[in-house]
Amino acid sequence: MALFTRKSTAAPTVTEAPSVDPALAALTGTYTLDPAHSSIGFTVRHAMVTNVRGSFGEHEGTLVVDGTDPANSTASIDVKIASIDTGIADRDGHLVSGDFFDAETFPLMTFRSTKAEQLGGEAYRITGDLTIKDVTRPLAIDLEFNGSATDVYGNERVGFEGSADILRSDWGLTWNAALETGGVMVSDKVKLTFDISAIKAAAPGA
C-alpha cells in the first residue's frame, strides 16, 4: 500500500472523480513518535579508516498524515542534543561541548518538513528545514514506508525508515584535527538515519 499516491498523467474528464484508496484514507490523522520504538542516529568516518555510530536517545515529534491528499502531510521532529550516545562518555562530552554542538546554548536539533513526494513503490522523499545550532538549511530525507498496524495495546501505528547524507560544515560543525599520516580525524560527511514508529492520536470525542 502506498502512503503517497502518484498523480495521473492523463487529463481527467469533467465527470471523473479523484480516486482515493480507502486503506490510505484510513491512515489520515495525527501521529506521535514513539521514542521507545524509534531511533535517530548517525554514522561518521573516524581517522579516515573506520566508522563511528551514535544516536540521540531523547526526541519527540509529530506526523500529520492526510490520506486523501498526501501533499498536505507534514513532519516535525525535535532532538535533544545532550542525549547523544556514541558509547564513549568522553567522546559524547566533546560532541556536546562548544567544539561541536554547544548543547548548553543550542539544546535542540529540529526538522520541519515542507514537502513530501513519492519516488516509486514505497519509497518517498521528505524535504524540509534542518536546524542545528543557529543554522537552518534544507534537507531531503529518503524514506521507506514500512506499513501500518494495530499493536497488542490497540494503538494504530505507522513505520518509516530512511537516511540522508549531510556535510556537517554546512551547519557550522567544523572542528577537526589533522592526522600525522595525512587526512583528518573526523570526516565532513555524516549519514543521518531514521527508524520511526508513530502512534495515531485518538480522534476528538473518541
Side-chain angles (χ1 to χ4, degrees):
M1 177 181 66
L3 179 62
F4 299 98
T5 55
R6 290 183 180 274
K7 293 182 177 180
S8 173
T9 56
T13 66
V14 293
T15 59
E16 183 179 352
S19 176
V20 177
D21 182 348
L24 179 61
L27 296 179
T28 297
T30 300
Y31 295 76
T32 300
L33 265 65
D34 177 6
H37 296 94
S38 300
S39 174
I40 297 176
F42 60 90
T43 303
V44 61
R45 185 64 59 87
H46 177 262
M48 308 296 291
V49 297
T50 189
N51 289 322
V52 168
R53 292 175 174 82
S55 62
F56 297 92
E58 297 182 39
H59 47 80
E60 60 184 20
T62 301
L63 307 178
V64 178
V65 175
D66 187 337
T68 60
D69 186 0
N72 292 329
S73 300
T74 62
S76 174
I77 301 175
D78 293 340
V79 177
K80 188 175 180 180
I81 294 297
S83 70
I84 196 168
D85 181 8
T86 64
I88 298 179
D90 287 346
R91 181 165 58 203
D92 296 342
H94 190 199
L95 288 170
V96 301
S97 74
D99 282 346
F100 282 94
F101 287 106
D102 193 2
E104 184 174 349
T105 305
F106 306 101
L108 294 178
M109 173 173 62
T110 66
F111 177 78
R112 302 291 184 265
S113 69
T114 56
K115 182 181 179 181
E117 56 187 317
Q118 183 179 22
L119 303 180
E122 302 297 343
Y124 306 94
R125 178 169 293 147
I126 304 298
T127 303
D129 295 322
L130 177 67
T131 300
I132 303 175
K133 299 177 76 169
D134 57 350
V135 179
T136 300
R137 295 180 62 89
L139 175 70
I141 305 172
D142 288 337
L143 294 168
E144 186 81 10
F145 177 51
N146 290 337
S148 61
T150 301
D151 66 22
V152 295
Y153 302 105
N155 297 313
E156 296 182 58
R157 293 178 178 268
V158 291
F160 301 87
E161 60 180 311
S163 63
D165 290 332
I166 67 171
L167 298 179
R168 61 187 178 90
S169 59
D170 287 344
W171 280 268
L173 303 175
T174 57
W175 183 92
N176 227 321
L179 302 175
E180 292 184 3
T181 54
V184 292
M185 180 70 72
V186 185
S187 70
D188 192 18
K189 182 180 178 180
V190 179
K191 182 177 184 178
L192 302 177
T193 56
F194 305 85
D195 197 343
I196 301 298
S197 178
I199 299 173
K200 190 176 186 179

